[in-house]
Amino acid sequence: MTEKGQPLAYSNIGIGATAKEELLRFLQKKCWKHPVIVCDRNTYEAAGRVLADELKAGGVKAAKLIIPEHEAGAAAADERTLFYTLINIAEETDVIIAAGSGTIHDITRFAAYQRGLPFISFPTAPSVDGFTSAGAPLILNGTKTTIQTKAPIALFADTNLLKDAPRSMTAAGFGDMLGKITSLADWEISRRLADEPYSEAGAKLVKDALWQCIDHRADIAAGTETGIQILMEALIVSGLVMLALDHSRPASGGEHHISHWIEMEMLKTKQPPILHGAKVGCACAVLSDIYKELACHEKLAELPPNFREAIQSAYEGLPDGKTIAGWLTSAGGPACFDEIGVKKDLVCDALNHAHTLRDRYTGLTIINEHAALFAHHLLQ
Ligand SMILES: [Zn+2]
C-alpha cells in the first residue's frame, strides 16, 4: 500500500504505444476533471503538450505547471522549486500528473503529499528506477535529503515518446539497471552477515530484469520499441520490488552509496549535476573489480569462515569492471568516472567514506571495517 492507503495496483500500470489513451481512461474512471500536468520546459515540449491535447480531445482539460530552471540550466527539487510548485497548484486540482524524468517526479511526489492529492507518473525518459518510489530525494538547505512522501497511484509510460528521449537519459537508465549487479551481491552479503531483511522472490525479479537489459543492450542503444519497452519494464520492476519490500536493498548497494557521496560533494562545490544512472553505472564497474579482488584476497583467510564463504559466494562470480564498462559503452553511456568529469580523488574519497551514508551492510562496509587488512590496498 502506498501513502494514505492508495494501492499502486499492477492494473494501473501501462507501458506501450497507447499509454496516453490509457491515462485518459484512468482519469475518466476516477472522475477526475481537473488534473495539472507538472513538467519542465523540455518535457512540456516533448510530452506534456501532446498529453494535454490527448486529454482535451477526451473532454478533460488539464492545467499545466512548468517548473522553472535554475541557474545550472535544469530544474532542481529544492525549497525554492517546491514552494513555487505548491503555490501554483490551483485549488480545484484533483490529481497531479508528473510528466518528466526523476526530478519532476520528486517535486510532484512532494507536492502531491503535501496537498493530499493523488499523482500519476508519466515518465518522459527511461532514465531511473525511482518513478514508483514513495521516497523523494530533495535538496534541503543544500544537502540531499530523502523524505517519505507518496508513490504514484498509476504509471503510464508511452514508448513512442520514450524512444525520442535523449540518448544520455536512456543510457543512464541502463546504468541504473547495471548497478543491480553489485547491489544484488551486496544484498546477499547483508542478509548473510548482518541479518538484514531479504526476499528470494524480490531478488529474482530484479536479477531477471537486469539480465533482460544486458541481453537487449543493442536494442536499448538503438532506441528500438523493444529495447525501450524492456528497459522501462526493468526499471519499473525494480521500483515496484522496492515499493513492495519497503526498502531499497535489491536496487541500491555500495555503487549507489558511492554515487550519492559523489553527488553530495559536487553539490557542495556547486558543480553541475551528473545523471544518477551515469554515476551508478561507473561506480558499479569500479566496485565490481574491487569486490572480485576482495573475494580472492589472501587476507580473507583472517576473517571468520562465514565471512569468507559469504564474500566468495556473493562476489567471486561478478562480471569484471571491463565487461561492465563494455556494456555501458555499448548502450551509449559513459563507462568510467573520467568520462563524466569526476576526479580520481573524489572517487577515492567516496570509496573510503560512502559506507557511512547509510546504516546498511555492504562489501564496502566490510573493506572499510577491516581497513588494516584490505582498505589501503583495495580502495585507491
Ligand atoms: Zn538508482
Side-chain angles (χ1 to χ4, degrees):
M1 293 290 257
T2 59
E3 184 62 37
K4 297 193 177 166
Q6 293 167 335
L8 172 59
Y10 198 72
S11 57
N12 293 347
I13 293 177
I15 307 169
T18 59
K20 291 192 295 296
E21 293 89 316
E22 288 178 59
L23 197 158
L24 170 65
R25 281 201 298 277
F26 185 72
L27 292 181
Q28 289 167 334
K29 191 177 89 187
K30 293 281 186 182
C31 300
W32 286 328
K33 294 192 170 59
H34 301 286
V36 59
I37 300 175
V38 176
C39 46
D40 61 28
R41 215 157 36 108
N42 293 331
T43 62
Y44 180 70
E45 291 306 329
R49 189 197 300 275
V50 281
L51 176 61
D53 289 348
E54 177 85 30
L55 299 184
K56 197 173 165 195
V60 178
K61 193 168 171 351
K64 71 169 185 231
L65 172 51
I66 297 185
I67 303 298
E69 293 148 15
H70 279 15
E71 294 76 8
D78 62 4
E79 293 92 341
R80 182 161 52 144
T81 302
L82 298 174
F83 192 64
Y84 179 90
T85 309
L86 282 175
I87 59 173
N88 280 292
I89 293 172
E91 201 58 51
E92 78 264 20
T93 304
D94 45 17
V95 59
I96 312 180
I97 301 169
S101 61
T103 306
I104 291 296
H105 275 71
D106 294 328
I107 295 164
T108 303
R109 222 184 291 287
F110 174 82
Y113 178 69
Q114 290 296 328
R115 291 287 296 266
L117 293 170
F119 96 90
I120 297 172
S121 163
F122 188 71
T124 53
S127 56
V128 76
D129 68 0
F131 295 115
T132 54
S133 158
L138 306 174
I139 299 164
L140 302 177
N141 214 2
T143 307
K144 190 170 159 162
T145 314
T146 298
I147 65 161
Q148 283 310 301
T149 58
K150 63 161 57 171
I153 185 170
L155 178 147
F156 300 99
D158 186 330
T159 43
N160 275 334
L161 295 175
L162 295 174
K163 271 194 310 199
D164 296 330
R167 198 163 182 236
S168 57
M169 303 283 272
T170 305
F174 182 72
D176 202 18
M177 278 314 296
L178 281 199
K180 310 328 175 205
I181 292 171
T182 40
S183 66
L184 286 168
D186 274 339
W187 195 17
E188 186 75 42
I189 285 290
S190 75
R191 163 212 208 174
R192 290 181 65 164
L193 298 179
D195 213 14
E196 291 183 25
Y198 190 82
S199 156
E200 209 77 65
K204 186 178 183 315
L205 281 166
V206 175
K207 192 175 181 187
D208 289 350
L210 160 68
W211 278 98
Q212 278 285 318
C213 292
I214 294 173
D215 291 344
H216 290 87
R217 58 190 182 278
D219 273 322
I220 293 170
T224 67
E225 174 116 28
T226 313
I228 295 301
Q229 177 106 20
I230 284 170
L231 176 58
M232 195 68 209
E233 279 175 4
L235 292 165
I236 288 169
V237 164
S238 170
L240 289 178
V241 169
M242 287 192 274
L243 193 63
L245 297 176
D246 204 22
H247 63 81
S248 62
R249 284 180 185 82
S252 165
E255 77 297 325
H256 270 71
H257 302 162
I258 293 169
S259 165
H260 292 325
W261 181 273
I262 290 171
E263 183 174 350
M264 277 163 34
E265 289 302 308
M266 294 185 84
L267 198 66
K268 269 190 224 160
T269 50
K270 299 207 180 331
Q271 297 177 64
I274 299 168
L275 289 171
H276 168 77
K279 293 193 292 290
V280 167
C282 296
C284 175
V286 170
L287 196 56
S288 202
D289 272 345
I290 293 174
Y291 283 173
K292 283 179 81 68
E293 216 178 316
L294 173 67
C296 62
H297 202 286
E298 53 177 15
K299 300 277 186 180
L300 208 57
E302 295 180 29
L303 294 184
N306 64 323
F307 270 70
R308 217 164 49 226
E309 280 164 32
I311 289 169
Q312 283 171 344
S313 108
Y315 298 141
E316 216 166 31
L318 290 177
D320 60 22
K322 217 170 136 197
T323 305
I324 296 172
W327 289 335
L328 289 167
T329 306
S330 69
C336 68
F337 280 116
D338 218 22
E339 265 182 78
I340 47 175
V342 178
K343 300 262 175 356
K344 196 167 184 307
D345 284 1
L346 181 51
V347 178
C348 202
D349 213 35
L351 291 171
N352 285 281
H353 299 287
H355 67 287
T356 60
L357 283 179
R358 299 206 64 168
D359 187 17
R360 184 171 293 184
Y361 207 72
T362 66
L364 266 188
T365 323
I366 298 177
I367 296 169
N368 280 284
E369 275 183 354
H370 300 87
L373 286 182
F374 311 115
H376 186 67
H377 167 62
L378 288 179
L379 302 182
Q380 309 244 329

